[in-house]
Amino acid sequence: MTSDTCVDVILRVNGSARPLRLDSRVTLLDALRDELDLTGTKKGCDQGACGACTVLLDGKRVLSCLTLAAQCEGREVTTIEGLATDGALHPVQEAFVRHDGFQCGYCTPGQIMSAVALLQEGRAGSDEEIREFMSGNLCRCGAYPNIVAAIREVAGRGSE
Ligand code: FES
Ligand code: FES
């Protein structure tokens, strides 16, 4: 790293200010995992194709492997580690557990962050809509039906 590519950035992650000195080319994904030890966010393809690295930026989902950490100065980053409150799992996390919405679990943090955003976006009106708006999150284990069931439950549509 040369000094001319170094930037000082204060990231707000899961409600805490985290000052960092980084190469300006470091992705948000690498900053979270390598600098802040927040390894819940997974690196799958590292090129925007799998969704494993999904986090929320100001409440909207982004692929952290395609987002530069330096662009996140002053913005609110939420990772899977920030979803539980007072030791209680987020309703989406609980629903994934209840519906076995994972097998190996590698895609699960990204799936859950996407699901949280999708519910906030009001995009869970039908199973087709859930599938469409979760289509950027791939699962090698094929846990899709259970993932849809978990999201459907949190959307308040029960079983269909
Ligand atoms: S690791 Fe970011 S989309 Fe695959
Ligand atoms: S649970 Fe294994 S990749 Fe999705």
Side-chain angles (χ1 to χ4, degrees):
M1 193 189 310
T2 58
S3 58
D4 60 336
T5 61
C6 240
V7 288
D8 290 311
V9 185
I10 299 178
L11 293 183
R12 285 198 59 80
V13 183
N14 300 330
S16 300
R18 309 294 298 267
L20 291 172
R21 173 158 292 191
L22 297 165
D23 188 301
S24 58
R25 297 161 295 187
V26 166
T27 63
L28 177 58
L29 175 60
D30 287 342
L32 292 170
R33 291 181 55 85
D34 301 340
E35 305 292 332
L36 300 178
D37 257 343
L38 292 170
T39 53
T41 305
K42 300 302 182 203
K43 183 183 282 195
C45 64
D46 206 21
Q47 51 187 353
C50 74
C53 65
T54 305
V55 300
L56 305 186
L57 189 59
D58 292 336
K60 304 264 188 294
R61 50 185 156 163
V62 295
L63 297 172
S64 60
C65 72
L66 295 186
T67 306
L68 293 176
Q71 294 174 306
C72 301
E73 170 89 41
R75 304 174 72 186
E76 192 64 47
V77 180
T78 308
T79 70
I80 190 76
E81 291 90 346
L83 281 190
T85 44
D86 299 328
L89 291 180
H90 186 283
V92 174
Q93 291 175 304
E94 286 180 343
F96 267 64
V97 173
R98 250 192 321 276
H99 289 273
D100 284 332
F102 52 88
Q103 289 178 38
C104 78
Y106 198 80
C107 72
T108 310
Q111 301 278 4
I112 288 176
M113 297 313 290
S114 254
V116 167
L118 167 141
L119 287 156
Q120 282 166 0
E121 292 160 12
R123 301 287 192 184
S126 67
D127 286 7
E128 291 66 35
E129 199 175 31
I130 293 171
R131 279 191 213 100
E132 181 182 346
F133 285 91
M134 291 294 291
S135 62
N137 289 82
L138 305 184
C139 175
R140 286 173 305 184
C141 301
Y144 298 115
N146 296 4
I147 291 170
V148 171
I151 298 172
R152 182 200 300 138
E153 182 193 284
V154 183
R157 294 193 297 108
S159 56
E160 290 184 349

